[in-house]
Amino acid sequence: MQSNHAEAIDRRLKSIEGHVRGVRRMVDDGAYCIDVVNQIVAIERALKKVGALVLDDHLHSCVADAMGSSDAEERERVVQELLQVYQAVGRG
Amino acid sequence: MQSNHAEAIDRRLKSIEGHVRGVRRMVDDGAYCIDVVNQIVAIERALKKVGALVLDDHLHSCVADAMGSSDAEERERVVQELLQVYQAVGRG
Amino acid sequence: MQSNHAEAIDRRLKSIEGHVRGVRRMVDDGAYCIDVVNQIVAIERALKKVGALVLDDHLHSCVADAMGSSDAEERERVVQELLQVYQAVGRG
Amino acid sequence: MQSNHAEAIDRRLKSIEGHVRGVRRMVDDGAYCIDVVNQIVAIERALKKVGALVLDDHLHSCVADAMGSSDAEERERVVQELLQVYQAVGRG
């Protein structure tokens, strides 16, 4: 992974890790269920933003290289991966 | 839109149109709410599959062309579009 | 389905049906893939809003009745249905 | 939060916390972007399962109590919260 966003990705993942820990504490303290569910949804959104940064790096490095190459098989491999990601993300 | 999947896309969209019409009838006939919600979720999934076919065409035509070109601005435009789609799809 | 939102639900489903037909025309006319994908995402969002209206009706009728009843089995049935819907919606 | 699933919820959140830490390590070690994105999607799914457990507890405690009460305002409050959660979850 060649990365323009490496620092931002790590910073966000670290913050998500803390967020998850915070939700564990909420549950432990008997917080209201709906507040817990809303925090869980907030973490999912934060993860999607990290995913977008990783994909940004991917498109600017691996995909750009593969699509610019003359290797048709390699180009197809990269396209299939992007389609698989699209479907996985859509299913959530 | 250069399309390998044009026929499949149209066939699926036509089927989705009929599916929506069917749900209208269900509502009209006083069907059970949960059955209606489940049909709505089924239509959303069918739409995601159409979206994947359209994206498949896009990656094999416009993206392949742009990424193979020497025009850096055009390559960046295509990448930004894919990122925007990724985020829109993730949000649902 | 006892419905406070019957009219709004039908109106929205009719509009979604027209939206799907519009996307078929776009594809037929060779519209740009990304524009097609964005319209598909817009239809998914419109469906989610209809789903919310149907669920609103459901919570105010069937769920309210079941949860107010002394039939524990019926209450559990209604709860399980809501959980199943929650998971289906989350998966998209 | 009255909880039948308190232990399972904490166990799963702890495992998710470890999963996030694992993804940080992957990024640090220069893992392939698509593998990172797939792990992020896996974490989102794990979070949805925790959300379902929390909602299960909620429906069996707060919602059951409120819906069984004669306080119409309280019943409506609980219904509105469930609708808000449904929409938040649908948007991901």
Side-chain angles (χ1 to χ4, degrees):
Chain A
M1 186 166 144
Q2 269 177 282
S3 186
N4 295 314
H5 296 301
E7 255 179 89
I9 290 167
D10 188 64
R11 192 169 7 93
R12 280 167 186 267
L13 284 172
K14 194 177 166 183
S15 144
I16 287 168
E17 203 188 316
H19 204 159
V20 175
R21 207 155 34 229
V23 173
R24 288 179 67 193
R25 247 185 328 259
M26 284 177 74
V27 173
D28 215 46
D29 294 350
Y32 188 51
C33 301
I34 296 293
D35 295 337
V36 175
V37 172
N38 282 330
Q39 288 311 310
I40 288 173
V41 172
I43 296 174
E44 287 177 48
R45 281 189 201 143
L47 282 166
K48 278 191 208 309
K49 279 187 197 149
V50 176
L53 289 177
V54 176
L55 204 63
D56 188 317
D57 280 341
H58 183 59
L59 289 165
H60 283 98
S61 55
C62 309
V63 177
D65 292 350
M67 298 302 260
S69 89
S70 56
D71 181 346
E73 220 170 285
E74 173 64 4
R75 288 200 309 267
E76 186 59 23
R77 192 187 60 75
V78 158
V79 164
Q80 290 307 324
E81 275 181 352
L82 287 175
L83 287 170
Q84 176 265 319
V85 162
Y86 169 87
Q87 290 179 296
V89 166
R91 261 200 322 276
Chain B
M1 184 164 143
Q2 270 176 281
S3 186
N4 295 314
H5 297 302
E7 255 180 88
I9 290 168
D10 188 63
R11 190 167 11 91
R12 280 167 185 266
L13 284 172
K14 194 178 167 183
S15 145
I16 288 168
E17 204 187 317
H19 203 158
V20 175
R21 206 152 39 230
V23 173
R24 288 179 66 193
R25 247 186 328 259
M26 284 176 74
V27 173
D28 216 45
D29 294 350
Y32 188 51
C33 301
I34 297 292
D35 295 338
V36 175
V37 172
N38 282 330
Q39 288 311 310
I40 287 173
V41 172
I43 296 174
E44 287 178 47
R45 281 190 200 143
L47 283 166
K48 277 190 209 308
K49 279 188 197 146
V50 176
L53 289 177
V54 176
L55 204 62
D56 188 318
D57 279 341
H58 183 58
L59 289 166
H60 283 99
S61 57
C62 310
V63 176
D65 292 349
M67 297 303 260
S69 89
S70 57
D71 182 344
E73 221 169 284
E74 173 64 4
R75 289 201 308 269
E76 186 59 24
R77 192 187 60 74
V78 158
V79 164
Q80 290 307 323
E81 275 180 352
L82 287 175
L83 287 169
Q84 176 265 319
V85 162
Y86 168 87
Q87 289 181 294
V89 165
R91 260 199 323 276
Chain C
M1 184 164 146
Q2 269 177 281
S3 188
N4 295 313
H5 296 302
E7 254 179 89
I9 291 168
D10 188 63
R11 190 168 10 91
R12 280 168 185 265
L13 284 172
K14 194 178 168 183
S15 144
I16 288 168
E17 204 188 316
H19 204 158
V20 175
R21 207 155 34 231
V23 173
R24 288 180 67 194
R25 248 188 325 261
M26 282 177 75
V27 173
D28 216 43
D29 294 349
Y32 187 52
C33 301
I34 296 293
D35 295 338
V36 175
V37 172
N38 282 330
Q39 288 311 310
I40 287 173
V41 172
I43 296 173
E44 287 177 49
R45 281 189 199 142
L47 283 165
K48 277 189 209 308
K49 279 187 197 150
V50 176
L53 289 176
V54 176
L55 203 64
D56 188 319
D57 279 341
H58 183 59
L59 289 165
H60 283 99
S61 57
C62 311
V63 176
D65 292 351
M67 298 301 262
S69 90
S70 57
D71 182 344
E73 220 170 285
E74 172 65 3
R75 288 201 308 269
E76 186 59 24
R77 193 188 59 74
V78 158
V79 164
Q80 291 307 325
E81 275 181 352
L82 287 176
L83 287 170
Q84 176 265 318
V85 162
Y86 167 87
Q87 290 181 293
V89 166
R91 261 200 321 273
Chain D
M1 185 163 147
Q2 269 177 280
S3 186
N4 296 314
H5 296 302
E7 255 180 88
I9 290 168
D10 188 63
R11 192 169 7 92
R12 279 167 185 267
L13 284 172
K14 194 176 166 183
S15 144
I16 287 167
E17 204 188 315
H19 204 158
V20 175
R21 207 155 34 231
V23 173
R24 287 180 67 195
R25 247 187 326 260
M26 283 177 75
V27 173
D28 216 45
D29 294 349
Y32 187 52
C33 302
I34 296 293
D35 295 337
V36 174
V37 172
N38 283 331
Q39 288 311 310
I40 288 173
V41 172
I43 296 174
E44 287 178 48
R45 279 187 202 145
L47 283 166
K48 277 190 209 308
K49 279 186 197 151
V50 176
L53 289 177
V54 176
L55 204 64
D56 188 316
D57 280 340
H58 183 59
L59 289 165
H60 283 99
S61 57
C62 310
V63 176
D65 292 350
M67 298 303 260
S69 90
S70 56
D71 181 345
E73 220 170 284
E74 173 64 4
R75 288 201 307 269
E76 186 59 24
R77 192 186 61 73
V78 158
V79 164
Q80 290 308 324
E81 275 181 352
L82 287 175
L83 287 170
Q84 175 264 318
V85 162
Y86 168 86
Q87 290 180 293
V89 166
R91 259 199 324 275

